[in-house]
Amino acid sequence: MPKSFINGAVSRISVALVLLIPWISRAAAETIASAYTSAAAKDCRTIGKPEGDSSTQTCPGRDGLILLVNEGDLRQTVSVGRNIRTAAKEPAAQTWFGPFNSAGPIVEWRMADGKPFAIIQRWQIADNDDQGRKGPKDKPMLVVTRLPPGPVCHVAYVDAAGTNANELARQAADEAARGFACGKDKVKIMGPRGRVIDLALPAP
């Protein structure tokens, strides 16, 4: 094999390593952690006057972000933004689940070096095919949502009744949220596909 060819290949590999090493170093140095805030009604502020079963609330988040919680017809949406107007324009503000549902009061913020990049929230989705004494039984699901910069949208769903659900949700947040293309990439299903996942996803 010609020496010039070998030298050229070595040079290309060297350049690739030079470009790659700083990225690896940054990733290794990055500190990922969780912080928690409340989305309970008592800790949030109602916007405007509720009409019937419809209401809008804002809840304090992290790093200057707020949660925008809309409820109507026993269904909720949760979005995030720097203010009410920007949060209301995000894809997450338009993402409804078909069955009756509600988002939990505890919000887990995944943080990279103190900057939030995703939230994880526990939802309850009503199963009309599984009736209890007081109506449809709720099925729990963890929703992973990506945060700005870039659009705010659902990234992954995890059956919260499954094993290691919290760990799977954090894995999805850490590995997929920042590179997730809202409107293009499909929501990821992490772990076993339980009944709640079928309830959450639109019918094919």
Side-chain angles (χ1 to χ4, degrees), residues 52-99:
D53 64 353
S54 299
S55 65
T56 300
Q57 291 188 312
T58 62
C59 314
R62 301 285 299 189
D63 196 40
L65 295 171
I66 63 153
L67 264 73
L68 182 67
V69 182
N70 276 304
E71 181 169 357
D73 193 25
L74 299 179
R75 296 170 176 85
Q76 290 188 331
T77 63
V78 176
S79 186
V80 178
R82 293 290 170 189
N83 53 56
I84 296 170
R85 186 177 67 176
T86 57
K89 292 180 179 179
E90 297 290 357
Q94 313 302 325
T95 303
W96 297 82
F97 298 122

mmCIF file of all heavy atoms in Angstrom, residues 52-99:
data_model
loop_
_atom_site.group_PDB
_atom_site.id
_atom_site.type_symbol
_atom_site.label_atom_id
_atom_site.label_comp_id
_atom_site.label_asym_id
_atom_site.label_seq_id
_atom_site.Cartn_x
_atom_site.Cartn_y
_atom_site.Cartn_z
ATOM 1 N N GLY A 52 -66.873 27.265 33.499
ATOM 2 C CA GLY A 52 -67.300 25.881 33.602
ATOM 3 C C GLY A 52 -66.181 25.029 34.154
ATOM 4 O O GLY A 52 -65.646 25.305 35.231
ATOM 5 N N ASP A 53 -65.793 24.002 33.398
ATOM 6 C CA ASP A 53 -64.691 23.138 33.849
ATOM 7 C C ASP A 53 -63.375 23.525 33.182
ATOM 8 O O ASP A 53 -62.396 22.778 33.242
ATOM 9 C CB ASP A 53 -65.016 21.664 33.580
ATOM 10 C CG ASP A 53 -65.146 21.351 32.088
ATOM 11 O OD1 ASP A 53 -65.112 22.303 31.284
ATOM 12 O OD2 ASP A 53 -65.277 20.167 31.744
ATOM 13 N N SER A 54 -63.338 24.698 32.546
ATOM 14 C CA SER A 54 -62.125 25.153 31.864
ATOM 15 C C SER A 54 -61.378 26.160 32.732
ATOM 16 O O SER A 54 -61.988 27.034 33.355
ATOM 17 C CB SER A 54 -62.467 25.806 30.522
ATOM 18 O OG SER A 54 -63.104 24.880 29.668
ATOM 19 N N SER A 55 -60.067 26.029 32.768
ATOM 20 C CA SER A 55 -59.247 26.962 33.538
ATOM 21 C C SER A 55 -57.830 26.973 32.980
ATOM 22 O O SER A 55 -57.406 26.038 32.291
ATOM 23 C CB SER A 55 -59.217 26.572 35.019
ATOM 24 O OG SER A 55 -58.566 25.329 35.192
ATOM 25 N N THR A 56 -57.100 28.036 33.290
ATOM 26 C CA THR A 56 -55.702 28.164 32.904
ATOM 27 C C THR A 56 -54.913 28.621 34.114
ATOM 28 O O THR A 56 -55.298 29.580 34.787
ATOM 29 C CB THR A 56 -55.525 29.187 31.769
ATOM 30 O OG1 THR A 56 -56.288 28.762 30.633
ATOM 31 C CG2 THR A 56 -54.066 29.303 31.368
ATOM 32 N N GLN A 57 -53.811 27.924 34.394
ATOM 33 C CA GLN A 57 -52.967 28.286 35.519
ATOM 34 C C GLN A 57 -51.514 28.367 35.083
ATOM 35 O O GLN A 57 -51.092 27.664 34.154
ATOM 36 C CB GLN A 57 -53.102 27.258 36.654
ATOM 37 C CG GLN A 57 -54.454 27.279 37.345
ATOM 38 C CD GLN A 57 -54.464 26.387 38.572
ATOM 39 O OE1 GLN A 57 -54.037 25.241 38.518
ATOM 40 N NE2 GLN A 57 -54.943 26.920 39.693
ATOM 41 N N THR A 58 -50.760 29.208 35.769
ATOM 42 C CA THR A 58 -49.313 29.242 35.584
ATOM 43 C C THR A 58 -48.648 28.852 36.895
ATOM 44 O O THR A 58 -49.113 29.225 37.971
ATOM 45 C CB THR A 58 -48.820 30.635 35.163
ATOM 46 O OG1 THR A 58 -49.128 31.587 36.189
ATOM 47 C CG2 THR A 58 -49.454 31.055 33.861
ATOM 48 N N CYS A 59 -47.569 28.097 36.780
ATOM 49 C CA CYS A 59 -46.855 27.609 37.951
ATOM 50 C C CYS A 59 -45.373 27.954 37.802
ATOM 51 O O CYS A 59 -44.822 27.844 36.694
ATOM 52 C CB CYS A 59 -47.007 26.100 38.083
ATOM 53 S SG CYS A 59 -48.700 25.484 37.849
ATOM 54 N N PRO A 60 -44.707 28.357 38.868
ATOM 55 C CA PRO A 60 -43.275 28.665 38.779
ATOM 56 C C PRO A 60 -42.468 27.431 38.399
ATOM 57 O O PRO A 60 -42.738 26.316 38.875
ATOM 58 C CB PRO A 60 -42.932 29.121 40.203
ATOM 59 C CG PRO A 60 -44.237 29.484 40.839
ATOM 60 C CD PRO A 60 -45.252 28.589 40.212
ATOM 61 N N GLY A 61 -41.478 27.629 37.516
ATOM 62 C CA GLY A 61 -40.602 26.537 37.111
ATOM 63 C C GLY A 61 -39.182 26.778 37.571
ATOM 64 O O GLY A 61 -38.950 27.260 38.678
ATOM 65 N N ARG A 62 -38.246 26.481 36.702
ATOM 66 C CA ARG A 62 -36.826 26.657 36.998
ATOM 67 C C ARG A 62 -36.181 27.566 35.967
ATOM 68 O O ARG A 62 -36.604 27.605 34.810
ATOM 69 C CB ARG A 62 -36.111 25.296 37.000
ATOM 70 C CG ARG A 62 -36.653 24.295 37.998
ATOM 71 C CD ARG A 62 -36.240 24.598 39.419
ATOM 72 N NE ARG A 62 -34.795 24.583 39.596
ATOM 73 C CZ ARG A 62 -34.193 24.647 40.772
ATOM 74 N NH1 ARG A 62 -34.908 24.714 41.887
ATOM 75 N NH2 ARG A 62 -32.869 24.626 40.868
ATOM 76 N N ASP A 63 -35.170 28.307 36.400
ATOM 77 C CA ASP A 63 -34.368 29.128 35.506
ATOM 78 C C ASP A 63 -35.217 30.109 34.704
ATOM 79 O O ASP A 63 -34.998 30.308 33.501
ATOM 80 C CB ASP A 63 -33.559 28.237 34.555
ATOM 81 C CG ASP A 63 -32.430 28.993 33.861
ATOM 82 O OD1 ASP A 63 -31.787 29.816 34.522
ATOM 83 O OD2 ASP A 63 -32.218 28.752 32.657
ATOM 84 N N GLY A 64 -36.219 30.707 35.335
ATOM 85 C CA GLY A 64 -37.048 31.696 34.670
ATOM 86 C C GLY A 64 -38.159 31.145 33.815
ATOM 87 O O GLY A 64 -38.896 31.908 33.178
ATOM 88 N N LEU A 65 -38.322 29.825 33.759
ATOM 89 C CA LEU A 65 -39.390 29.206 32.976
ATOM 90 C C LEU A 65 -40.647 29.055 33.831
ATOM 91 O O LEU A 65 -40.572 28.945 35.057
ATOM 92 C CB LEU A 65 -38.957 27.838 32.457
ATOM 93 C CG LEU A 65 -37.803 27.832 31.452
ATOM 94 C CD1 LEU A 65 -37.326 26.405 31.202
ATOM 95 C CD2 LEU A 65 -38.224 28.482 30.141
ATOM 96 N N ILE A 66 -41.798 29.035 33.173
ATOM 97 C CA ILE A 66 -43.060 28.779 33.853
ATOM 98 C C ILE A 66 -43.760 27.590 33.207
ATOM 99 O O ILE A 66 -43.495 27.262 32.046
ATOM 100 C CB ILE A 66 -43.997 29.997 33.797
ATOM 101 C CG1 ILE A 66 -44.375 30.298 32.325
ATOM 102 C CG2 ILE A 66 -43.375 31.214 34.478
ATOM 103 C CD1 ILE A 66 -45.691 30.986 32.162
ATOM 104 N N LEU A 67 -44.646 26.964 33.967
ATOM 105 C CA LEU A 67 -45.536 25.953 33.417
ATOM 106 C C LEU A 67 -46.876 26.610 33.121
ATOM 107 O O LEU A 67 -47.366 27.430 33.905
ATOM 108 C CB LEU A 67 -45.767 24.814 34.419
ATOM 109 C CG LEU A 67 -44.888 23.575 34.273
ATOM 110 C CD1 LEU A 67 -43.483 23.900 34.731
ATOM 111 C CD2 LEU A 67 -45.456 22.420 35.073
ATOM 112 N N LEU A 68 -47.457 26.256 31.995
ATOM 113 C CA LEU A 68 -48.798 26.704 31.640
ATOM 114 C C LEU A 68 -49.696 25.476 31.604
ATOM 115 O O LEU A 68 -49.494 24.580 30.773
ATOM 116 C CB LEU A 68 -48.788 27.397 30.283
ATOM 117 C CG LEU A 68 -50.129 27.951 29.807
ATOM 118 C CD1 LEU A 68 -50.583 29.104 30.699
ATOM 119 C CD2 LEU A 68 -50.041 28.412 28.352
ATOM 120 N N VAL A 69 -50.666 25.425 32.514
ATOM 121 C CA VAL A 69 -51.555 24.266 32.638
ATOM 122 C C VAL A 69 -52.959 24.677 32.210
ATOM 123 O O VAL A 69 -53.585 25.528 32.853
ATOM 124 C CB VAL A 69 -51.580 23.731 34.079
ATOM 125 C CG1 VAL A 69 -52.468 22.486 34.164
ATOM 126 C CG2 VAL A 69 -50.168 23.423 34.563
ATOM 127 N N ASN A 70 -53.434 24.098 31.133
ATOM 128 C CA ASN A 70 -54.789 24.346 30.650
ATOM 129 C C ASN A 70 -55.660 23.125 30.910
ATOM 130 O O ASN A 70 -55.218 21.985 30.710
ATOM 131 C CB ASN A 70 -54.784 24.642 29.146
ATOM 132 C CG ASN A 70 -54.489 26.093 28.848
ATOM 133 O OD1 ASN A 70 -55.173 26.994 29.332
ATOM 134 N ND2 ASN A 70 -53.470 26.337 28.055
ATOM 135 N N GLU A 71 -56.885 23.370 31.331
ATOM 136 C CA GLU A 71 -57.820 22.274 31.552
ATOM 137 C C GLU A 71 -59.149 22.603 30.903
ATOM 138 O O GLU A 71 -59.655 23.728 31.012
ATOM 139 C CB GLU A 71 -58.041 22.004 33.039
ATOM 140 C CG GLU A 71 -59.003 20.855 33.299
ATOM 141 C CD GLU A 71 -59.041 20.404 34.747
ATOM 142 O OE1 GLU A 71 -58.276 20.953 35.555
ATOM 143 O OE2 GLU A 71 -59.832 19.499 35.062
ATOM 144 N N GLY A 72 -59.706 21.610 30.213
ATOM 145 C CA GLY A 72 -61.013 21.753 29.595
ATOM 146 C C GLY A 72 -61.586 20.391 29.288
ATOM 147 O O GLY A 72 -60.871 19.500 28.820
ATOM 148 N N ASP A 73 -62.859 20.197 29.583
ATOM 149 C CA ASP A 73 -63.520 18.915 29.323
ATOM 150 C C ASP A 73 -62.784 17.763 29.997
ATOM 151 O O ASP A 73 -62.623 16.683 29.423
ATOM 152 C CB ASP A 73 -63.632 18.668 27.820
ATOM 153 C CG ASP A 73 -64.590 17.519 27.480
ATOM 154 O OD1 ASP A 73 -65.497 17.245 28.287
ATOM 155 O OD2 ASP A 73 -64.398 16.890 26.417
ATOM 156 N N LEU A 74 -62.313 18.010 31.222
ATOM 157 C CA LEU A 74 -61.629 16.996 32.040
ATOM 158 C C LEU A 74 -60.352 16.472 31.375
ATOM 159 O O LEU A 74 -59.953 15.330 31.585
ATOM 160 C CB LEU A 74 -62.566 15.831 32.366
ATOM 161 C CG LEU A 74 -63.824 16.204 33.171
ATOM 162 C CD1 LEU A 74 -64.674 14.970 33.415
ATOM 163 C CD2 LEU A 74 -63.448 16.876 34.481
ATOM 164 N N ARG A 75 -59.719 17.338 30.587
ATOM 165 C CA ARG A 75 -58.442 17.009 29.953
ATOM 166 C C ARG A 75 -57.481 18.174 30.154
ATOM 167 O O ARG A 75 -57.909 19.327 30.162
ATOM 168 C CB ARG A 75 -58.618 16.717 28.460
ATOM 169 C CG ARG A 75 -59.483 15.494 28.166
ATOM 170 C CD ARG A 75 -59.825 15.414 26.683
ATOM 171 N NE ARG A 75 -60.577 14.219 26.350
ATOM 172 C CZ ARG A 75 -61.899 14.113 26.450
ATOM 173 N NH1 ARG A 75 -62.622 15.148 26.879
ATOM 174 N NH2 ARG A 75 -62.496 12.992 26.124
ATOM 175 N N GLN A 76 -56.209 17.878 30.278
ATOM 176 C CA GLN A 76 -55.226 18.915 30.525
ATOM 177 C C GLN A 76 -54.130 18.919 29.458
ATOM 178 O O GLN A 76 -53.876 17.904 28.816
ATOM 179 C CB GLN A 76 -54.572 18.741 31.907
ATOM 180 C CG GLN A 76 -55.498 19.028 33.063
ATOM 181 C CD GLN A 76 -54.771 19.045 34.398
ATOM 182 O OE1 GLN A 76 -53.770 18.372 34.587
ATOM 183 N NE2 GLN A 76 -55.286 19.834 35.334
ATOM 184 N N THR A 77 -53.523 20.077 29.317
ATOM 185 C CA THR A 77 -52.260 20.196 28.583
ATOM 186 C C THR A 77 -51.275 20.935 29.489
ATOM 187 O O THR A 77 -51.679 21.740 30.331
ATOM 188 C CB THR A 77 -52.405 20.980 27.264
ATOM 189 O OG1 THR A 77 -52.795 22.331 27.544
ATOM 190 C CG2 THR A 77 -53.425 20.321 26.343
ATOM 191 N N VAL A 78 -49.999 20.631 29.310
ATOM 192 C CA VAL A 78 -48.948 21.307 30.076
ATOM 193 C C VAL A 78 -47.877 21.761 29.099
ATOM 194 O O VAL A 78 -47.340 20.961 28.328
ATOM 195 C CB VAL A 78 -48.326 20.382 31.139
ATOM 196 C CG1 VAL A 78 -47.169 21.086 31.842
ATOM 197 C CG2 VAL A 78 -49.373 19.940 32.158
ATOM 198 N N SER A 79 -47.583 23.053 29.122
ATOM 199 C CA SER A 79 -46.533 23.604 28.278
ATOM 200 C C SER A 79 -45.578 24.412 29.147
ATOM 201 O O SER A 79 -45.852 24.678 30.314
ATOM 202 C CB SER A 79 -47.131 24.472 27.166
ATOM 203 O OG SER A 79 -46.126 24.891 26.259
ATOM 204 N N VAL A 80 -44.461 24.810 28.556
ATOM 205 C CA VAL A 80 -43.421 25.538 29.289
ATOM 206 C C VAL A 80 -42.917 26.677 28.413
ATOM 207 O O VAL A 80 -42.814 26.545 27.188
ATOM 208 C CB VAL A 80 -42.250 24.605 29.659
ATOM 209 C CG1 VAL A 80 -41.147 25.372 30.377
ATOM 210 C CG2 VAL A 80 -42.731 23.442 30.527
ATOM 211 N N GLY A 81 -42.604 27.803 29.033
ATOM 212 C CA GLY A 81 -42.047 28.922 28.292
ATOM 213 C C GLY A 81 -41.543 29.993 29.239
ATOM 214 O O GLY A 81 -41.656 29.873 30.465
ATOM 215 N N ARG A 82 -40.986 31.047 28.661
ATOM 216 C CA ARG A 82 -40.515 32.176 29.463
ATOM 217 C C ARG A 82 -41.668 33.013 29.987
ATOM 218 O O ARG A 82 -41.547 33.704 30.990
ATOM 219 C CB ARG A 82 -39.577 33.048 28.637
ATOM 220 C CG ARG A 82 -38.267 32.385 28.277
ATOM 221 C CD ARG A 82 -37.387 32.216 29.498
ATOM 222 N NE ARG A 82 -36.217 31.370 29.208
ATOM 223 C CZ ARG A 82 -35.391 30.931 30.127
ATOM 224 N NH1 ARG A 82 -35.587 31.232 31.397
ATOM 225 N NH2 ARG A 82 -34.366 30.170 29.797
ATOM 226 N N ASN A 83 -42.799 32.945 29.288
ATOM 227 C CA ASN A 83 -43.991 33.666 29.720
ATOM 228 C C ASN A 83 -45.213 32.937 29.187
ATOM 229 O O ASN A 83 -45.088 31.942 28.446
ATOM 230 C CB ASN A 83 -43.943 35.128 29.251
ATOM 231 C CG ASN A 83 -43.689 35.254 27.757
ATOM 232 O OD1 ASN A 83 -44.420 34.701 26.938
ATOM 233 N ND2 ASN A 83 -42.623 35.969 27.398
ATOM 234 N N ILE A 84 -46.390 33.449 29.528
ATOM 235 C CA ILE A 84 -47.635 32.780 29.157
ATOM 236 C C ILE A 84 -47.791 32.722 27.640
ATOM 237 O O ILE A 84 -48.178 31.693 27.081
ATOM 238 C CB ILE A 84 -48.839 33.510 29.792
ATOM 239 C CG1 ILE A 84 -48.766 33.424 31.319
ATOM 240 C CG2 ILE A 84 -50.153 32.936 29.288
ATOM 241 C CD1 ILE A 84 -49.770 34.295 32.038
ATOM 242 N N ARG A 85 -47.472 33.829 26.964
ATOM 243 C CA ARG A 85 -47.680 33.889 25.516
ATOM 244 C C ARG A 85 -46.822 32.869 24.780
ATOM 245 O O ARG A 85 -47.313 32.156 23.895
ATOM 246 C CB ARG A 85 -47.380 35.297 25.002
ATOM 247 C CG ARG A 85 -47.723 35.479 23.521
ATOM 248 C CD ARG A 85 -47.482 36.894 23.062
ATOM 249 N NE ARG A 85 -46.059 37.226 23.086
ATOM 250 C CZ ARG A 85 -45.571 38.385 22.653
ATOM 251 N NH1 ARG A 85 -46.384 39.322 22.201
ATOM 252 N NH2 ARG A 85 -44.262 38.616 22.697
ATOM 253 N N THR A 86 -45.543 32.786 25.132
ATOM 254 C CA THR A 86 -44.674 31.847 24.427
ATOM 255 C C THR A 86 -45.049 30.402 24.763
ATOM 256 O O THR A 86 -45.039 29.536 23.887
ATOM 257 C CB THR A 86 -43.197 32.091 24.773
ATOM 258 O OG1 THR A 86 -43.017 31.987 26.195
ATOM 259 C CG2 THR A 86 -42.765 33.463 24.321
ATOM 260 N N ALA A 87 -45.397 30.127 26.021
ATOM 261 C CA ALA A 87 -45.780 28.767 26.401
ATOM 262 C C ALA A 87 -47.041 28.326 25.665
ATOM 263 O O ALA A 87 -47.176 27.157 25.282
ATOM 264 C CB ALA A 87 -45.985 28.687 27.909
ATOM 265 N N ALA A 88 -47.979 29.262 25.456
ATOM 266 C CA ALA A 88 -49.243 28.926 24.794
ATOM 267 C C ALA A 88 -49.055 28.600 23.317
ATOM 268 O O ALA A 88 -49.916 27.946 22.708
ATOM 269 C CB ALA A 88 -50.223 30.077 24.954
ATOM 270 N N LYS A 89 -47.942 29.027 22.727
ATOM 271 C CA LYS A 89 -47.694 28.785 21.303
ATOM 272 C C LYS A 89 -46.923 27.497 21.041
ATOM 273 O O LYS A 89 -46.745 27.105 19.886
ATOM 274 C CB LYS A 89 -46.924 29.963 20.699
ATOM 275 C CG LYS A 89 -47.731 31.258 20.634
ATOM 276 C CD LYS A 89 -46.901 32.375 20.016
ATOM 277 C CE LYS A 89 -47.691 33.667 19.913
ATOM 278 N NZ LYS A 89 -46.874 34.757 19.322
ATOM 279 N N GLU A 90 -46.456 26.854 22.098
ATOM 280 C CA GLU A 90 -45.639 25.652 21.924
ATOM 281 C C GLU A 90 -46.499 24.441 21.531
ATOM 282 O O GLU A 90 -47.681 24.370 21.880
ATOM 283 C CB GLU A 90 -44.875 25.342 23.209
ATOM 284 C CG GLU A 90 -43.877 26.407 23.627
ATOM 285 C CD GLU A 90 -42.679 26.492 22.706
ATOM 286 O OE1 GLU A 90 -42.577 25.687 21.768
ATOM 287 O OE2 GLU A 90 -41.833 27.386 22.923
ATOM 288 N N PRO A 91 -45.895 23.464 20.822
ATOM 289 C CA PRO A 91 -46.639 22.262 20.457
ATOM 290 C C PRO A 91 -47.259 21.551 21.659
ATOM 291 O O PRO A 91 -48.357 20.984 21.553
ATOM 292 C CB PRO A 91 -45.580 21.387 19.771
ATOM 293 C CG PRO A 91 -44.574 22.352 19.233
ATOM 294 C CD PRO A 91 -44.533 23.475 20.219
ATOM 295 N N ALA A 92 -46.568 21.569 22.803
ATOM 296 C CA ALA A 92 -47.092 20.882 23.984
ATOM 297 C C ALA A 92 -48.423 21.453 24.432
ATOM 298 O O ALA A 92 -49.257 20.737 25.008
ATOM 299 C CB ALA A 92 -46.082 20.958 25.125
ATOM 300 N N ALA A 93 -48.657 22.752 24.180
ATOM 301 C CA ALA A 93 -49.914 23.384 24.579
ATOM 302 C C ALA A 93 -51.087 22.894 23.746
ATOM 303 O O ALA A 93 -52.244 23.098 24.122
ATOM 304 C CB ALA A 93 -49.796 24.901 24.468
ATOM 305 N N GLN A 94 -50.793 22.241 22.623
ATOM 306 C CA GLN A 94 -51.843 21.730 21.737
ATOM 307 C C GLN A 94 -51.900 20.201 21.746
ATOM 308 O O GLN A 94 -52.581 19.615 20.908
ATOM 309 C CB GLN A 94 -51.597 22.221 20.307
ATOM 310 C CG GLN A 94 -51.283 23.696 20.189
ATOM 311 C CD GLN A 94 -52.369 24.590 20.751
ATOM 312 O OE1 GLN A 94 -53.550 24.280 20.646
ATOM 313 N NE2 GLN A 94 -51.977 25.706 21.368
ATOM 314 N N THR A 95 -51.177 19.573 22.653
ATOM 315 C CA THR A 95 -51.111 18.105 22.678
ATOM 316 C C THR A 95 -52.052 17.568 23.746
ATOM 317 O O THR A 95 -51.769 17.642 24.934
ATOM 318 C CB THR A 95 -49.674 17.628 22.945
ATOM 319 O OG1 THR A 95 -48.802 18.163 21.942
ATOM 320 C CG2 THR A 95 -49.597 16.102 22.906
ATOM 321 N N TRP A 96 -53.175 17.030 23.273
ATOM 322 C CA TRP A 96 -54.195 16.487 24.170
ATOM 323 C C TRP A 96 -54.205 14.973 24.084
ATOM 324 O O TRP A 96 -53.936 14.381 23.039
ATOM 325 C CB TRP A 96 -55.585 16.987 23.761
ATOM 326 C CG TRP A 96 -55.780 18.456 23.849
ATOM 327 C CD1 TRP A 96 -55.394 19.392 22.921
ATOM 328 C CD2 TRP A 96 -56.403 19.174 24.903
ATOM 329 N NE1 TRP A 96 -55.741 20.651 23.341
ATOM 330 C CE2 TRP A 96 -56.371 20.545 24.549
ATOM 331 C CE3 TRP A 96 -56.990 18.797 26.112
ATOM 332 C CZ2 TRP A 96 -56.910 21.531 25.373
ATOM 333 C CZ3 TRP A 96 -57.535 19.786 26.916
ATOM 334 C CH2 TRP A 96 -57.483 21.128 26.558
ATOM 335 N N PHE A 97 -54.547 14.343 25.197
ATOM 336 C CA PHE A 97 -54.841 12.907 25.185
ATOM 337 C C PHE A 97 -56.350 12.740 25.042
ATOM 338 O O PHE A 97 -57.126 13.521 25.613
ATOM 339 C CB PHE A 97 -54.353 12.237 26.467
ATOM 340 C CG PHE A 97 -52.866 12.329 26.672
ATOM 341 C CD1 PHE A 97 -52.337 12.921 27.810
ATOM 342 C CD2 PHE A 97 -51.989 11.835 25.721
ATOM 343 C CE1 PHE A 97 -50.979 13.013 28.003
ATOM 344 C CE2 PHE A 97 -50.615 11.925 25.894
ATOM 345 C CZ PHE A 97 -50.111 12.520 27.041
ATOM 346 N N GLY A 98 -56.754 11.725 24.296
ATOM 347 C CA GLY A 98 -58.174 11.523 24.033
ATOM 348 C C GLY A 98 -59.020 11.268 25.280
ATOM 349 O O GLY A 98 -60.029 11.949 25.510
ATOM 350 N N PRO A 99 -58.642 10.302 26.109
ATOM 351 C CA PRO A 99 -59.438 10.039 27.313
ATOM 352 C C PRO A 99 -59.296 11.161 28.339
ATOM 353 O O PRO A 99 -58.388 11.993 28.255
ATOM 354 C CB PRO A 99 -58.823 8.738 27.860
ATOM 355 C CG PRO A 99 -58.019 8.168 26.743
ATOM 356 C CD PRO A 99 -57.554 9.336 25.938
#
